[in-house]
Amino acid sequence: MKFFSIIIPTYNSSATIKACIESLLQQTFTDFEILVVDGLSSDNTRAIVEGIADSRLSFFSEQDSGVYDAMNKGIKKANAKWLFFLGSDDFLYNKNVLADMNGLLKKTRAKFVYGNVKIVGDTSWAKDGEIYRGVTSVPDLLTFNICHQCIFYSIDIFKHKLYNNQYKVLADHDFNIYCASRYQMQYVPITVSFFNAGGISSRLMDANFQKDKWVNTVIYFKKKLFDKSFYKYRYELKKTVKPFLKQSKFKLAFTALRAYSFLKLSKFM
């Protein structure tokens, strides 16, 4: 078993995939595999990847339903202790990233370890050149996602859940909220990669995710929401009561209502 599985979803990525992979092959730490999971590209992505002679590199190509479907397929093929997802137009920050992370991951009990990314280009949530985003508390994660290009996930997490393909743009945000409800998270002050602002998460909205976000939050966290740190989200939690009642999920409706009531009163405690 390798230490890292690095999963790169691709579709018509010929302009960027070589630089992405080269940033991995230049690493001083070498105990990793690279899984390029392609969605039947019509350009020469396959030729570029297959033209790179390295036994750690594997290329798979078949029709998929989007980037998170490709990531799920990569997870099922992975054979490593830690999984890392890199966009085909992103690349590691320097040649020592994996060596530095290896040293830290060997010592941690956390199953979700994250650093920072450096933004390339402007997004609606970060500007060009910015280091995004430092320590992110569990409540803050409900507003600000952590880029998966700086997260290292224990393989154990994926034994219980994969990315939800209904969320075409922000399935990683949903998945990270799920992880925060169940696993220890650890921030490390390392800039892991350059994040290219041209991806779908920088440009598009995800109506399905936004519709389900707070319902899912209640499902994931349940009684863990009875914490003063969630105070600013009390009204969002209250709004989930009706959807739960319509679905006859009475225990979840009661949990959401109790959490709202507790948080409303917590201001005076």
Side-chain angles (χ1 to χ4, degrees), residues 3 31 33 40 62 77 116 120 226 243:
F3 195 81
D31 187 17
E33 62 179 0
L40 291 181
E62 62 183 41
K77 297 177 185 299
N116 304 308
V120 180
F226 291 72

Side-chain angles (χ1 to χ4, degrees), residues 205-216:
M205 300 294 291
D206 193 329
N208 286 338
F209 168 73
Q210 296 299 339
K211 175 176 65 68
D212 294 344
K213 176 181 174 180
W214 294 106
V215 167
N216 288 346

Side-chain angles (χ1 to χ4, degrees), residues 151 217 230 240 254:
I151 303 171
T217 297
F230 291 99
T240 67
F254 185 56

Side-chain angles (χ1 to χ4, degrees), residues 95-149:
K95 66 181 181 180
N96 296 315
V97 168
L98 295 185
D100 292 341
M101 290 305 305
N102 171 66
L104 291 163
L105 293 174
K106 282 184 174 179
K107 300 175 183 177
T108 188
R109 293 186 177 181
K111 293 185 180 296
F112 180 117
V113 180
Y114 68 100
N116 304 308
V117 297
K118 185 167 185 177
I119 305 296
V120 180
D122 290 339
T123 74
S124 60
W125 40 269
K127 299 301 180 184
D128 181 49
E130 182 178 342
I131 301 296
Y132 184 89
R133 71 172 302 273
V135 177
T136 301
S137 68
V138 172
D140 281 349
L141 179 60
L142 298 179
T143 300
F144 305 101
N145 194 17
I146 302 170
C147 296
H148 65 250
Q149 292 90 337

